[in-house]
Amino acid sequence: MLEAIRRTSTFLREKQILHKLGVLASIAVIAVACYMLYHKLRNVDTARVLKFIAETDPKLIVLSALSVTAAYFTLTFYDWFAVRTIGRKDVPYRINALAAFTSYSIGHNVGASVFTGGAVRYRIYSAWNLSAVDVAKIVFLAGLTFWLGNLAVLGMGIAYHPEAASAINQVPPAVNRVLAYVVLAGLVGYVIWVWMKPRSVGRGPWSVVLPGGPLTLLQIVIGIVDLGFCALAMYLLVPNTPGVDFVTVAVVFVAATLLGFASHSPGGLGVFDAAMLVGLEMMDQEQLLAGMLLFRVLYYLTPFFISVMLLTFRELIVSARSKKMQPVANEASSSVGRTLNDHGGPAA
């Protein structure tokens, strides 16, 4: 059976079938989202949306901004954890924080975050002598933390309140609850699997040793805390509709985020919004749109501009240091040449 699986995997990889299926899936998700978004927005009153934005309680905006800040702070531990997992404990936390914050905020807005975020990470980590392979391992481990956290939140949330997921996937609540239990059982099985003995994925220099049981639990906790703060930021901005609790908003939010991530569209634009509007259709649509727009400003646009400024500032510092060190290097080279000439050695 294992040999059959290997052959199938090799065939799929050589023919790029999985890549083609992924592209088709992304197109399908975007197409369905555009269709749903058109039907949801065609009767929206833009004036009412702007009115609700202007009337939003500033205290709620501040609290939501603090939740976003806490979420991005938690994101920094994705890289901190990943870098230490590959054995580079010499890289300080401030570098992990810079790489995580800038890569995620830019990746979220540009789209195809695995590649765009990976490029930003490489630019930062290469200064600490981390190779492209090392950065690829960091991206993989950080992504593993993200997915473990998402599966844990979705599994627990849907098991507790399956109706929230049914609003999006149109699957009966009983079936969604069973699926949630399957996801949670899979998570437990994975934790047991990596707890039993060291596990690794990949081959040769691309091999990555997976975190053991206790560290995997830490990964899951990091992911849950991150998503919890993100969901709280959204919850504070959506309409205060009776009967819509935090768990409902969290489940819909995480599901919408994953759909947006799967589409590879910048910021999940269109896909995330359609899923939120469908999943929370019991809310006033104009008021919900107002909250979603405010969330985009706080979670996507503001961190993006901060990241661009941070990276620009960093590049200016690196460039200034290089120019400052160049005369010193030239002087040292000239000095060595003069010394060799004075002793009859070859000229530099």
Side-chain angles (χ1 to χ4, degrees):
M1 182 178 293
L2 290 176
E3 184 61 29
I5 293 174
R6 290 193 187 97
R7 289 178 181 175
T8 303
S9 177
T10 301
F11 174 78
L12 293 174
R13 185 169 58 251
E14 290 177 351
K15 299 298 183 179
Q16 294 188 331
I17 293 177
L18 293 178
H19 173 71
K20 294 174 182 177
L21 289 176
V23 173
L24 289 176
S26 296
I27 294 173
V29 169
I30 293 174
V32 172
C34 289
Y35 174 80
M36 297 300 299
L37 204 59
Y38 169 75
H39 283 276
K40 286 289 181 182
L41 298 181
R42 60 181 177 177
N43 296 321
V44 165
D45 186 345
T46 306
R48 286 193 73 217
V49 174
L50 296 176
K51 173 176 174 290
F52 283 126
I53 291 176
E55 293 178 351
T56 302
D57 189 346
K59 293 181 180 178
L60 292 178
I61 297 176
V62 171
L63 289 174
S64 182
L66 290 175
S67 296
V68 168
T69 302
Y72 272 100
F73 172 70
T74 308
L75 268 179
T76 64
F77 290 99
Y78 283 36
D79 275 50
W80 176 85
F81 181 88
V83 170
R84 276 146 187 78
T85 299
I86 67 171
R88 290 300 303 269
K89 297 181 180 180
D90 58 304
V91 180
Y93 167 75
R94 69 177 187 278
I95 301 300
N96 303 147
L98 176 64
F101 175 71
T102 54
S103 63
Y104 277 110
S105 56
I106 290 176
H108 284 160
N109 285 274
V110 176
S113 57
V114 172
F115 302 103
T116 53
V120 173
R121 279 190 173 98
Y122 180 74
R123 180 61 181 168
I124 294 172
Y125 284 130
S126 60
W128 287 82
N129 297 319
L130 269 73
S131 65
V133 174
D134 292 328
V135 174
K137 292 179 180 180
I138 293 170
V139 172
F140 169 78
L141 289 167
L144 181 61
T145 302
F146 170 81
W147 281 105
L148 288 174
N150 273 273
L151 291 175
V153 170
L154 273 180
M156 292 186 294
I158 296 176
Y160 175 76
H161 194 356
E163 293 80 8
S166 297
I168 295 179
N169 61 15
Q170 303 301 307
V171 173
V175 176
N176 273 327
R177 177 164 280 157
V178 171
L179 292 175
Y181 288 143
V182 171
V183 169
L184 293 175
L187 275 177
V188 172
Y190 175 78
V191 173
I192 294 173
W193 182 65
V194 296
W195 205 312
M196 293 173 63
K197 66 177 183 179
R199 308 286 184 174
S200 63
V201 294
R203 295 180 179 178
W206 295 93
S207 179
V208 180
V209 178
L210 296 173
L215 292 179
T216 299
L217 292 177
L218 177 60
Q219 278 184 292
I220 294 173
V221 170
I222 292 173
I224 290 174
V225 173
D226 168 38
L227 289 168
F229 277 120
C230 290
L232 178 60
M234 176 61 77
Y235 179 71
L236 290 168
L237 297 174
V238 298
N240 188 23
T241 304
V244 181
D245 57 7
F246 173 73
V247 175
T248 300
V249 174
V251 170
V252 173
F253 173 81
V254 174
T257 299
L258 290 181
L259 286 172
F261 183 81
S263 71
H264 297 292
S265 64
L269 192 62
V271 179
F272 171 85
D273 310 279
M276 289 290 294
L277 289 170
V278 171
L280 299 174
E281 62 181 357
M282 73 290 292
M283 294 182 174
D284 181 274
Q285 296 293 278
E286 281 89 356
Q287 198 171 355
L288 176 57
L289 271 173
M292 289 164 57
L293 288 172
L294 286 171
F295 178 81
R296 281 197 173 277
V297 171
L298 294 175
Y299 189 79
Y300 289 99
L301 296 181
T302 302
F304 176 73
F305 286 122
I306 294 174
S307 294
V308 170
M309 289 189 291
L310 284 174
L311 289 177
T312 302
F313 185 62
R314 177 186 178 276
E315 291 301 317
L316 290 174
I317 293 177
V318 171
S319 177
R321 286 178 177 174
S322 298
K323 291 179 180 179
K324 185 177 181 180
M325 293 300 295
Q326 190 61 40
V328 177
N330 292 337
E331 179 62 27
S333 178
S334 301
S335 177
V336 171
R338 288 194 299 270
T339 301
L340 290 174
N341 287 331
D342 291 342
H343 290 83

